Structure formats: C-alpha cells, structure tokens
Amino acid sequence: MTGWRRPTSSRPYKLLTSTAAAGALLMTGCGALPGATGGSREPVTVLTWAPGGVAGPDTVNMAGMTAMARAYARWANADGGLDGHKLRVVTCDEQDTSIGAANCARLAVKEKAVAVVGSYSRHGTAFMSPLEAAGIPYIGGYGASDEEFSSYNSFPVNGGQPALLAGNARQLARSCERVSVVRPDTLSGDGQAWLLRTGLTEAGRPAPADIRAPESATSYDGAAAPALRAAGASHGCVTAVLGKRTETFFDSFRRLEPSYGSVRISSVLGSVDQPLIDSTGGRNSPFEGAYITGWYPDSGDARWDPMREVIREHAFGDNRIDPDDTGVQTTWIAYTVLKELVKSIDSPQITPWKLTSALNKGTAAGTGGLTPVLRWGFTDVLGSSSYPRIVNTRVTYQVVRNGRLVADRKGFMDVSKTLSDASATR
C-alpha cells in the first residue's frame, strides 16, 4: 500500500471538544427461555451502536439500526433465543462523533459484550482500538469507516463504499458513452474518482470527467454545469457521490439541465436511498430514472419478508425502523450472521474468543440470499492492500422506476477484479 486511504464516506470527520454521553438500553427480561434446557445456556450479550439523530446539517441519523437490534432481540428471545441462549442487546447512541464512538466501544467492554453487531460509525480510529484490545469482534458494521475493511477485528457483511463505486462504474458502462463523476474535493474524493475510473476503463469506456465539489455547499451550480457539459446531451451520464449533499447537487443539476437530449443520473446507496426518494416526491422525485448501485436486493424483494415480519410483530410501531433503509437492512443481516455463528459454536457459553475463532476458521453464515454465503477465513478475504478485510464483493444494480428502487439487473455483480485492480494501480 502506498499510503492512499480509500473513502467509505464523503462526509468529513469532525473534531469536537465537548464530550458525548453514551446511552444504553438493555433488552432484558425474566423467566426461562423457550427451548432452553434448564437454563444451562448462558445469555449472550452484544452491543449495537449508531448515531441517534444529533442536530446538524451534515450529521447522520441511523437510529433505525439500534431500534432494529432491539426488535430482533424481542423476536429471537420469543423464539428460544440464539441456539438456546437468551440474547441481551445493549444499544448506544454514538452521536456521530469520535468521542461518542469511543464511549460506545468502552461500553461494550464494560458490559462484557461478546461482539458489536450491526452498527454504524464513521469514526473507526476511535472505536476499533478499544475493541481490538478487548478482543471483541466487530460483526457487520455498515461500512462507513476505513478500519472496518482493514482491522483484523472486523468482519464486514458488505463491501462498503469501495464496492458500491466499483459497481456503479460497471453499471454505468453498460449504457453511458460518457460519464461525469461529481465527488468531494478531498483526498477521499480522489479515491472515489479512481475507483470509478478503474471500473469504466476496464469495461472499455473512456475515463470519467472528474468534477470536484465542496462538501458543504448549499448550491452546486458550479459543479453541475461542467458535469453536464462533459456528459453531453446524448448517451451521457452524471453520477454524484456527495453523501447527504447529493440531493442538493441534483437540485442544481435539474435546474440547469436542458429540455432536449437525455442525460442519465446515478449514485450509490447511502447517498440516495428509498427514504430519500420518498421524501423528495416519489415518482415525481428528481431521482426518477436514476441508476443506483446497492449491496443487497431491492427492498421489494421477497427475501426481505422475514425481516418485515419481525418488524411488524416486534417493533411495536417504532417509526424509526424503515425496512427500506439500508442501515436497518445491514443490522438485520449482521444479527442473522450472529445467529448462524452461535448455532455453529453449539456451546453452553459464548465468548468473544469463541466467536472470533469461528469467524477466522471460515465458518459459513447464510443470510437467506440477501448476500452470498459469508465466510471470513484467510482464503475468503479479498486480501488486497487497500481492502484486506472485504469478503463480500457483490453488488446489485437498481433503478428508480415509478418512485421505487427496483432491480435493474437480476442477481449480484462481482466487483472483486475492479477492487483489486484499483488497489494495485493506485
């Protein structure tokens, strides 16, 4: 590796001087578990964290992830727990700060959690070291920090933003003769542009026009105009990866777009998702017709039905849980993996060491077809210098049609070659 750190978020890290309190909610109860044998199996304590909605134009609200974890615990315990173990879930508001992330990691140690599961944080430098020191595995993070794809302690269920960008390039290459990429004018943005360039050139398309843009603008007319010119009026595409500011960019873009010609717009999940499409007008949204690259099947796929059933029966109307939200979906997948791992261990006591050992041995974890069967053994990780911990290099192609994200192509697309080539040539 040459010192290049690829991005997993287009948003900046913030240096904050105030402390952030980490809140915890415990899923506890009384009585024996159905299916447990005389209480012989000890409870399994895990922790899930995510920012809960702090105020600010560039902060993230992923409260649905911790709410999904609580709903999962209610469902699992009503059904006998995890292989007879009662599931105890501790949740923590990470507050989208490095201090909050570190506090949540310390809470995991204090509560003797055997794993951190299905969580979100952009502050990997703050939370990963405490977990590594305590030997607590980080299973199924959202993929918002670099450390999730480099730390030996991390076991991701998706390929993070690198996989999305590599897949987006290949999706656009199918029908776009020219591509403009609008990305943050940062070092992380440089990495985004390189991944898109690698994927497009591999597919025989010209390198994209690289349009740098400020991360915190209130208008993107200055970026939209050159992006439109470079894409051209026919068979051109504009893709933007600006996090929460992606909506602002496409507002500017649509105002400048001429009435003639046909310029396709595109982005990746995390910058554009179903809740954003709904809030911006549904079928009248500026994202109608956009190409979107995701990690998982579209939210209308029948493979999500078990998750939706759990939400209906055990979330008690908690409106923070949106089954179309990628964070909620990631938490569901991460807990599905945990259940498979605990079952494979088949022991009266589950410890961090036993979980980590099962993960490192390559124990298979099925997710009901929402991802490929996942394994984290030595031969399963991508192992490239930039993305050593990625095991799931598959993405899905989606398109916004009649206000809904639907499949643009059936099945998964493997982008391992693009990820490896981008890592090797950067």
Side-chain angles (χ1 to χ4, degrees):
M1 189 170 180
T2 59
W4 171 56
R5 298 285 288 184
R6 78 275 177 224
T8 53
S9 171
S10 61
R11 305 177 181 97
Y13 288 87
K14 298 178 176 65
L15 180 62
L16 299 179
T17 57
S18 62
T19 59
L25 183 146
L26 313 184
M27 294 302 305
T28 59
C30 301
L33 275 176
T37 309
S40 60
R41 300 214 155 192
E42 294 185 4
V44 170
T45 297
V46 299
L47 193 137
T48 296
W49 65 56
V54 292
D58 293 308
T59 53
V60 183
N61 183 354
M62 303 297 285
M65 297 178 72
T66 50
M68 182 71 242
R70 292 194 289 267
Y72 189 97
R74 285 189 285 265
W75 168 71
N77 289 334
D79 193 42
L82 304 185
D83 196 35
H85 297 269
K86 182 173 184 176
L87 176 59
R88 177 177 178 261
V89 171
V90 182
T91 63
C92 184
D93 184 353
E94 181 261 6
Q95 299 188 347
D96 201 22
T97 68
S98 58
I99 294 173
N103 285 341
C104 287
R106 285 191 286 268
L107 180 64
V109 177
K110 178 182 177 181
E111 294 291 338
K112 295 181 171 55
V114 299
V116 174
V117 183
S119 297
Y120 181 103
S121 178
R122 297 189 277 172
H123 306 289
T125 54
F127 72 74
M128 197 62 79
S129 293
L131 296 184
E132 289 175 346
I136 299 174
Y138 189 77
I139 302 173
Y142 184 87
S145 63
D146 287 349
E147 287 71 19
E148 294 175 56
F149 303 105
S150 60
S151 171
Y152 63 87
N153 206 58
S154 178
F155 303 89
V157 298
N158 60 53
Q161 196 175 67
L164 294 181
L165 292 164
N168 190 231
R170 302 302 294 267
Q171 183 179 15
L172 293 173
R174 296 184 304 156
S175 57
C176 304
E177 294 181 0
R178 293 166 304 281
V179 174
S180 297
V181 54
V182 183
R183 49 80 167 189
D185 188 12
T186 62
L187 183 61
S188 292
D190 292 346
Q192 293 176 5
W194 185 254
L195 272 164
L196 284 157
R197 177 190 177 94
T198 302
L200 285 167
T201 54
E202 280 181 350
R205 293 293 190 182
D210 184 10
I211 312 298
R212 295 170 173 83
E215 285 190 296
S216 302
T218 56
S219 172
Y220 283 96
D221 289 358
L228 186 59
R229 286 195 301 270
S234 179
H235 303 294
C237 295
V238 173
T239 188
V241 186
L242 294 165
K244 290 181 69 173
R245 299 291 179 167
T246 302
E247 177 187 359
T248 305
F249 168 78
F250 281 120
D251 282 342
S252 298
F253 180 81
R254 288 305 193 195
R255 287 197 301 270
L256 295 176
E257 188 181 16
S259 57
Y260 62 89
S262 177
V263 178
R264 203 73 178 257
I265 64 172
S266 176
S267 190
V268 297
L269 279 178
S271 287
V272 175
D273 55 15
Q274 188 62 54
L276 176 60
I277 295 164
D278 293 341
S279 68
T280 54
R283 66 182 59 198
N284 297 316
S285 164
F287 301 106
E288 182 68 21
Y291 290 132
I292 306 294
T293 307
W295 295 307
Y296 315 128
D298 65 273
S299 57
D301 192 286
R303 284 169 284 188
W304 292 112
D305 288 350
M307 180 191 72
R308 291 179 180 274
E309 184 66 20
V310 168
I311 293 171
R312 279 193 297 269
E313 293 186 2
H314 297 277
F316 305 136
D318 191 334
N319 60 12
R320 293 172 298 174
I321 304 179
D322 185 341
D324 295 340
D325 179 74
T326 312
V328 169
Q329 294 172 352
T330 299
T331 299
W332 169 263
I333 290 171
Y335 273 90
T336 302
V337 167
L338 177 70
K339 183 179 181 181
E340 292 290 300
L341 291 169
V342 171
K343 182 179 178 181
S344 73
I345 293 170
D346 189 23
S347 171
Q349 183 186 37
I350 302 299
T351 66
W353 182 87
K354 288 179 180 179
L355 276 177
T356 302
S357 179
L359 288 158
N360 287 332
K361 285 192 303 184
T363 300
T367 61
L370 296 171
T371 68
V373 173
L374 300 172
R375 298 179 180 86
W376 292 267
F378 178 77
T379 60
D380 302 306
V381 295
L382 184 63
S384 70
S385 59
S386 295
Y387 321 108
R389 296 299 296 174
I390 291 180
V391 298
N392 181 4
T393 57
R394 309 289 181 88
V395 297
T396 58
Y397 293 164
Q398 301 175 31
V399 63
V400 182
R401 187 174 295 136
N402 295 319
R404 297 294 302 176
L405 272 168
V406 297
D408 184 37
R409 167 180 169 161
K410 291 183 178 180
F412 293 97
M413 175 70 180
D414 190 350
V415 296
S416 56
K417 183 179 186 302
T418 303
L419 291 171
S420 295
D421 289 350
S423 177
T425 58
R426 180 62 177 172

